[in-house]
Amino acid sequence: IVLVCQISGAMAFVAFISSNLSNLFSVPNSSPWPKIFIFPILLGLTLVRSTRLLAPFASFGNILFIFSFVIIIYFGESQTSPSFNNIDSINLNGFSTFFGVSVFAFASPIEIISIEEFLPSHVQKKYDQILFLSFLVSSILYIMFGIGGYLFFEEMTQDNIFLNIDCSSISCRTMSKETSDIVGGIVRGSTAIMIIFNYPLTMFGVVLSVEDMIFGAAISENDSEFSCSFSSIFVDRKKAISRFVLVSFTVIVAIFVSDFGLILSFSGCLSGILLFSLPSFFHFFLFRSSFIPSFINYLVLFFDFCIFICGLIVSIFGAYWLLTK
């Protein structure tokens, strides 16, 4: 389940990049060429031996994300005129999509399972603090994007919100269509580059887990001494082949399923089983082995059972609804 969730997340990244590039170069979103174009770039970054070497790329990607975030907020505040009349406070028609996207957004614990054990020991000691700050910052950004985006663009809000910088689909106050095309192109190009640089970090947990199963226990390569030789930068031939297969798989699936929102929501629904049902399931049986009859303990078991059932039902039916859709 962990591998499926991680790989589907990487597929969503590929679909997101392709969505931006397709819009940027005015090609159909179903076209395979944007995915084929980025494949060698994604593969080259995934073949890098150590995440330490990827840190500068990730930092640069975060700078691009902040730039894009500021632009979309500025565009929405300065160019849109929300009426606040067409906003639905409650709409259960898209609940499965909402659940999948929300879980996907907070799916970091899935990455932790396979990544934390390969980190240097001094980083592992501070990992709980790093995780807390990451969730705090991410939560603030998600809430701002969700509320701000929907208030700005209302029913015109797209699954890739950066595609909303388009004065041909919404009525802009002062910006012309030509200017919005330039600004939107810069933002979409920036976000595509940002995701490209973060793709190998998402795949890092996948490749470590697969290589651990195929080649045996993996040794953290982040603590190894660095040199400028080719072998110190890229993985050996056997691991390169396994990573080639994994990256190819994510790109091929994204070619046939080009709907970014669908892949992202489906990945989130699968992640829901891992994030909600399995922890409550394990806690239920571990707690039961040392169970002492009392009202509080019965209440704990009841909540474990409810979380397990609700997580299982929503995840399975959400995934089924998305597939039938």
Side-chain angles (χ1 to χ4, degrees):
I1 296 178
V2 174
L3 285 177
V4 171
C5 294
Q6 290 177 325
I7 292 177
S8 57
M11 295 174 191
F13 274 19
V14 175
F16 182 87
I17 298 169
S18 175
S19 173
N20 282 341
L21 294 180
S22 298
N23 186 274
L24 182 62
F25 295 106
S26 301
V27 297
N29 192 38
S30 57
S31 173
W33 295 113
K35 288 99 169 174
I36 296 174
F37 172 76
I38 63 175
F39 171 73
I41 303 175
L42 299 178
L43 178 61
L45 292 172
T46 307
L47 292 179
V48 173
R49 177 184 295 272
S50 172
T51 54
R52 183 188 305 171
L53 299 175
L54 297 173
F57 296 100
S59 299
F60 180 67
N62 292 333
I63 294 174
L64 292 177
F65 172 77
I66 294 173
F67 166 77
S68 302
F69 175 77
V70 171
I71 293 298
I72 192 69
I73 295 297
Y74 168 77
F75 179 84
E77 192 278 331
S78 63
Q79 299 300 320
T80 62
S81 302
S83 62
F84 302 102
N85 296 324
N86 300 322
I87 298 177
D88 296 327
S89 57
I90 299 177
N91 187 346
L92 296 179
N93 292 330
F95 177 75
S96 58
T97 302
F98 160 77
F99 176 79
V101 172
S102 300
V103 173
F104 179 87
F106 290 101
S108 297
I110 296 177
E111 306 295 332
I112 294 169
I113 294 174
S114 56
I115 290 179
E116 183 179 4
E117 62 178 306
F118 298 102
L119 293 174
S121 57
H122 67 279
V123 177
Q124 290 184 7
K125 295 178 180 179
K126 300 179 181 179
Y127 207 63
D128 55 342
Q129 302 174 17
I130 297 174
L131 179 63
F132 172 77
L133 291 176
S134 299
F135 265 87
L136 179 63
V137 174
S138 299
S139 300
I140 294 174
L141 290 176
Y142 295 154
I143 293 172
M144 291 180 64
F145 258 106
I147 297 178
Y150 193 45
L151 290 179
F152 289 146
F153 308 110
E154 298 179 339
E155 72 278 0
M156 299 298 293
T157 304
Q158 300 193 43
D159 52 0
N160 181 355
I161 194 173
F162 298 109
L163 299 182
N164 278 111
I165 304 180
D166 183 7
C167 289
S168 62
S169 60
I170 63 174
S171 178
C172 296
R173 295 179 190 172
T174 59
M175 187 177 292
S176 65
K177 180 182 181 303
E178 291 74 18
T179 304
S180 72
D181 289 342
I182 296 174
V183 174
I186 294 174
V187 170
R188 287 186 282 274
S190 299
T191 52
I193 294 173
M194 180 267 293
I195 296 297
I196 287 174
F197 286 156
N198 282 275
Y199 173 89
L201 297 177
T202 301
M203 286 293 291
F204 187 68
V206 179
V207 298
L208 286 181
S209 299
V210 171
E211 289 167 3
D212 182 51
M213 290 186 294
I214 297 176
F215 306 116
I219 300 175
S220 176
E221 295 172 325
N222 291 306
D223 292 325
S224 59
E225 295 183 2
F226 173 76
S227 64
C228 294
S229 63
F230 183 88
S231 60
S232 68
I233 298 177
F234 298 102
V235 296
D236 57 47
R237 184 179 303 176
K238 292 188 298 183
K239 292 183 178 180
I241 294 174
S242 67
R243 297 188 183 196
F244 172 82
V245 172
L246 290 171
V247 175
S248 300
F249 178 75
T250 62
V251 173
I252 290 173
V253 173
I255 288 176
F256 289 99
V257 186
S258 57
D259 189 337
F260 161 69
L262 176 62
I263 298 177
L264 188 146
S265 302
F266 184 72
S267 173
C269 287
L270 291 178
S271 303
I273 299 176
L274 190 65
L275 296 179
F276 296 106
S277 298
L278 290 186
S280 59
F281 175 81
F282 291 133
H283 182 266
F284 177 87
F285 281 97
L286 290 174
F287 186 75
R288 187 181 178 185
S289 62
S290 58
F291 179 75
I292 300 177
S294 69
F295 173 76
I296 298 297
N297 289 339
Y298 280 119
L299 192 62
V300 170
L301 293 179
F302 173 74
F303 277 115
D304 277 340
F305 178 77
C306 290
I307 295 173
F308 172 77
I309 294 298
C310 291
L312 199 63
I313 292 175
V314 174
S315 298
I316 292 177
F317 278 93
Y320 173 77
W321 184 87
L322 288 169
L323 289 177
T324 54
K325 178 185 177 181

